[in-house]
Amino acid sequence: MPSVSDSKCILVIGSTAGIGRALALAILDLPSKPTVIVCGRRKERLDELVASHNATGRLKSVTLDVLAERNALKSSIEEIVNTYPDLDAVLFSNGIQRAFDFTKPETVDLDSLECELATNYTSIVRMITFVLPHLIKLGEQGRPTFLYAVSSGLSIVPAAGVAGYCATKAAIHSLSISLAVQLKEKNVHVVEILPPLVESELHDFQGTTQRLSNFWLSLEEYTKVTMEGLVRGDPCVPAGGVIEEYKKFEEGKLEAATQMYGQFKTMTQA
Ligand SMILES: NC(=O)c1ccc[n+]([C@@H]2O[C@H](COP(=O)([O-])OP(=O)(O)OC[C@H]3O[C@@H](n4cnc5c(N)ncnc54)[C@H](OP(=O)(O)O)[C@@H]3O)[C@@H](O)[C@H]2O)c1
C-alpha cells in the first residue's frame, strides 16, 4: 500500500500552526527524508519554522492565502509545481471555525459563513483541480502521488453550534471518498485525515480555547497516532474518539462508493 513514506516532496497547506505544523515536522523526520514545503499566510511563522527546523535543508516555505482570487491561486499552485517538480503530495490543513446561532438568524453573519466555506472547502477543491494535472502525470510515470484532506470527526457527527463548519467538513469528507474512488486508477491516492478535538489555535477566534483545552487531545499524542496511520498507508486516518464514530457510521462506505462508481459508469456509458 503506497504511504506517506513513498513521498519525495510534500506541500502542507496550513502549516503555520496546529495540526498542519505538527504533521509537517513529523513528515520531515521520516526516514524516507522527503522535502517538506510549509505554507500559510503568516510569513513570520514560516520563516521561524524554517529557521528553527532546517538543519537538513529539506524544509522549504511558500506564503499563500487560499482565499486569493481563483486565477491568482492557480498561478501560485503552478509556480509551486514549477519550483518543485518532484512535488508528489499535498496535505490540506487550512481551516477556520466559526459559531452561528440559527435560533437568532439575524445574528448569522453570512460574510463570515461564506469565508469559512471558501477556506475549508471551495479553496481546497480549487487547489486539488490545479495540482492534479501534475500529480496525474507523475502517477502515469509510475510514481504514486497523494492528496491528504484534513476533515474532522464533526464531518461524521456534527456539533450543531458550529453548523457551517461541520457542513464544510462533511463536504470534504464526501469529496475525499469520491476522489479516492475516481483517482485510484491514476495512481493518485486520496487519504482523509479525521481529527478529534486537538490542541491548536482553531478555537482562539471564538474565545473557547481555554475551556476546550480541558478536553482536547494533545498535539503530540495526536501527531503520533496520525503518523502511524499515514505511514501504514491507511485510506482514512481517524484518531481518538473519532475511531469509534468512524466504525459505527462510516465503515464500508468507501467500498460502497467504489461499487456505485462502477454501476454509474455502466449506466451512463453508451
Ligand atoms: N484542532 C481541532 O480540534 C480540529 C479538529 C478537527 C479538524 N481540525 C481541522 O484541522 C485543520 C487544522 O486546524 P488546526 O486545529 O491546526 O487550526 P490552527 O492551529 O488554527 O491552524 C489553521 C491553519 O490554517 C491556515 N489557514 C487559515 N486560513 C488560511 C488562508 N486563508 N490561507 C492559507 N492558510 C490558512 C492557518 O495559517 P495562516 O493563518 O498563517 O494563513 C493555519 O496554519 C483544519 O482543517 C481544522 O478544521 C481541527
Side-chain angles (χ1 to χ4, degrees):
M1 192 70 185
S3 87
V4 71
S5 300
D6 294 305
S7 170
K8 290 183 172 44
C9 180
I10 179 163
L11 170 67
V12 184
I13 300 179
S15 44
T16 56
I19 291 172
R21 185 182 192 278
L23 289 178
L25 291 176
I27 292 168
L28 185 70
D29 282 345
L30 285 172
S32 48
K33 296 188 174 24
T35 296
V36 176
I37 310 160
V38 286
C39 179
R41 286 169 301 184
R42 286 171 286 180
K43 186 175 182 316
E44 68 287 358
R45 292 267 188 119
L46 297 171
D47 290 346
E48 178 275 326
L49 197 52
V50 172
S52 55
H53 289 86
N54 201 18
T56 62
R58 290 184 284 108
L59 187 61
K60 313 289 181 189
S61 74
V62 173
T63 311
L64 179 78
D65 182 350
V66 301
L67 296 180
E69 183 272 324
R70 192 197 293 168
N71 285 328
L73 189 61
K74 185 169 193 264
S75 299
S76 297
I77 296 296
E78 286 172 353
E79 199 178 319
I80 293 170
V81 167
N82 287 337
T83 311
Y84 301 99
D86 239 5
L87 182 78
D88 54 17
V90 185
L91 191 156
F92 298 95
S93 194
N94 48 293
I96 57 171
Q97 187 183 87
R98 303 290 180 255
F100 299 108
D101 183 353
F102 281 85
T103 68
K104 301 187 184 82
E106 69 285 0
T107 66
V108 175
D109 178 348
L110 286 176
D111 285 340
S112 182
L113 187 141
E114 285 169 19
C115 176
E116 182 180 55
L117 175 65
T119 305
N120 296 2
Y121 180 68
T122 320
S123 72
I124 294 174
V125 187
R126 286 177 172 179
M127 291 186 282
I128 286 174
T129 309
F130 299 149
V131 80
L132 264 176
H134 171 71
L135 296 186
I136 289 174
K137 199 166 90 190
L138 287 187
E140 284 171 349
Q141 290 165 6
R143 257 182 75 182
T145 63
F146 305 88
L147 291 168
Y148 294 98
V150 179
S151 65
S152 166
L154 301 183
S155 69
I156 304 174
V157 180
V162 286
Y165 174 82
C166 297
T168 66
K169 292 299 173 176
I172 285 291
H173 175 56
S174 177
L175 183 81
S176 303
I177 295 171
S178 296
L179 295 190
V181 171
Q182 275 198 33
L183 293 170
K184 203 172 165 187
E185 65 193 54
K186 296 289 182 189
N187 209 4
V188 180
H189 303 270
V190 180
V191 177
E192 183 183 359
I193 297 173
L194 300 97
L197 179 63
V198 174
E199 171 185 7
S200 81
E201 298 174 13
L202 189 70
H203 308 99
D204 287 4
F205 183 87
Q206 284 148 205
T208 50
T209 301
Q210 185 70 39
R211 266 166 288 148
L212 291 175
S213 67
N214 296 315
F215 307 99
W216 67 27
L217 197 60
S218 76
L219 197 50
E220 191 183 350
E221 176 70 20
Y222 173 72
T223 306
K224 183 175 166 289
V225 174
T226 299
M227 283 305 294
E228 285 167 4
L230 295 180
V231 167
R232 273 196 306 269
D234 294 353
C236 293
V237 188
V242 184
I243 294 173
E244 275 311 305
E245 283 180 351
Y246 188 84
K247 278 191 189 141
K248 189 168 173 189
F249 297 111
E250 296 292 322
E251 239 167 30
K253 211 178 200 179
L254 187 60
E255 293 72 16
T258 305
Q259 209 178 0
M260 173 84 83
Y261 185 51
Q263 285 168 356
F264 181 78
K265 278 206 305 215
T266 312
M267 287 188 296
T268 53
Q269 267 162 14

